[in-house]
Amino acid sequence: MVAPGSVDDDVTAERLTEVLRRGGGLDTGRVVEVGVDTSRTTLVSTIERLRLRYAGGEGPATLIRKRPRHDIAPDLADILRNEVAFYARVAPAMPAGRLPRCYGIGGAEEGPRYVLLEDLTDSHAIVSEWPVPPTLEQCERIMETYAAFHGQWWDDARLGDSIGTWLDTSGVFDRHLAEFSKRLAAFADRLGDRMSPERLSLYERLLEAAPRLLARYRTHRGLTLVHGDAHVWNALHPRDPATGTIRLIDWDGWRVDTATDDLSYMIALHWYPDRRRRLERRLLEHYHATLTAHGVERYPLSSLLDDYRLSVLWQITTPVWQASFRLTPAVWWSHLERIMLAVDDLDCRALLG
């Protein structure tokens, strides 16, 4: 049976039984009851905690169902496909303890409609309320987690082949830049005199310099898998640090790229100048030391700092994309102001020549 009024027709006991069996979460028996404990929306997704009851077998008592919101821009319709690809191709090659387990995909035949993930509610938590950043010690642990993830995939032979794609070999960059140019024009028109001529000029210079700036990527060296949405609230911390590890969630933006894209997104895009100026270099050095400890060679700190500056420069595009996806201005307006200050502090305009 289905708990009355709790779930939609897409999450019946019969469907969940099929999905869990395919995903290895249920060997025998079947789901006989499912209900929604809690439901909330994020910027792009709906997250539900499902409670299940079984007959003739035993499976996870609770699950997280994640599905895309349908009340935002159509451009985000494929975000679930990206996350499904991550759990299908990347997650099986990852060591235990870095991700939530994926128990299955709903509607895979017609296209994915949702993913069923391990419920970490009781064992893990977000350690700070948005937009307040975590403590320094917590940030260091997040850096260590990303260094371990990046280090595992650093220059892996599967990159661009069976894991991810090279963005410069299929016209993706050219299409991406052409589309960004259109969205920038709409963004500037929307803001009017709230977008200064100097800032608009910076965007125009970035587009002009893009072919040269992308030379770093085109080497296909010193690259790894990146999360793509690496803000600190996508890192779930164990309630008992002595027995648990940080789990990284929300993998809809993963790709092959420069590791510092994640670091600049986490720090330069989200932190105001006082905190960034005090802790940025310290955390980058901590990340680099951990990355080296995970076996990454021939990547000195100076190279990481150079990559970080370039990633910060590219991050000015993020608020434009977010605004075009109809995310709330409470997100993208503050990102715009913070990333412009970081560009000034790190003299990123010098990279434009």
Side-chain angles (χ1 to χ4, degrees), residues 323-339:
S324 72
F325 293 150
R326 296 193 300 188
L327 301 188
T328 172
V331 171
W332 58 259
W333 177 259
S334 297
H335 284 346
L336 177 66
E337 294 300 316
R338 287 188 294 256
I339 198 61

Side-chain angles (χ1 to χ4, degrees), residues 194-338:
R194 290 164 292 192
M195 167 75 82
S196 69
E198 187 270 339
R199 285 188 176 178
L200 183 58
S201 174
L202 175 61
Y203 281 108
E204 292 169 345
R205 292 176 63 198
L206 177 63
L207 287 170
E208 292 172 2
R212 176 174 56 81
L213 297 177
L214 290 172
R216 164 70 179 90
Y217 184 95
R218 292 193 174 102
T219 64
H220 292 185
R221 302 298 301 169
L223 300 182
T224 185
L225 293 186
V226 300
H227 183 284
D229 190 20
H231 57 69
V232 296
W233 303 278
N234 274 338
L236 299 183
H237 294 243
R239 296 184 187 276
D240 181 1
T243 60
T245 56
I246 290 177
R247 306 288 187 94
L248 301 176
I249 61 172
D250 286 358
W251 289 95
D252 47 71
W254 75 282
R255 63 185 185 275
V256 180
D257 219 317
T258 313
T260 50
D261 281 8
D262 278 344
L263 309 184
S264 63
Y265 187 91
M266 186 190 311
I267 297 174
L269 192 70
H270 283 87
W271 288 5
Y272 287 98
D274 175 71
R275 181 176 179 82
R276 178 172 47 75
R277 290 165 185 162
R278 286 189 293 112
L279 301 180
E280 185 174 53
R281 177 65 179 251
R282 175 172 175 171
L283 288 173
L284 292 176
E285 290 177 352
H286 186 73
Y287 169 89
H288 182 263
T290 311
L291 187 70
T292 302
H294 280 275
V296 173
E297 301 176 341
R298 295 183 294 279
Y299 189 63
L301 178 62
S302 59
S303 294
L304 181 141
L305 296 176
D306 287 343
D307 282 346
Y308 182 78
R309 286 179 67 218
L310 182 56
S311 292
V312 169
L313 179 61
W314 279 111
Q315 288 295 351
I316 69 172
T317 65
T318 299
V320 179
W321 287 109
Q322 291 174 329
S324 72
F325 293 150
R326 296 193 300 188
L327 301 188
T328 172
V331 171
W332 58 259
W333 177 259
S334 297
H335 284 346
L336 177 66
E337 294 300 316
R338 287 188 294 256

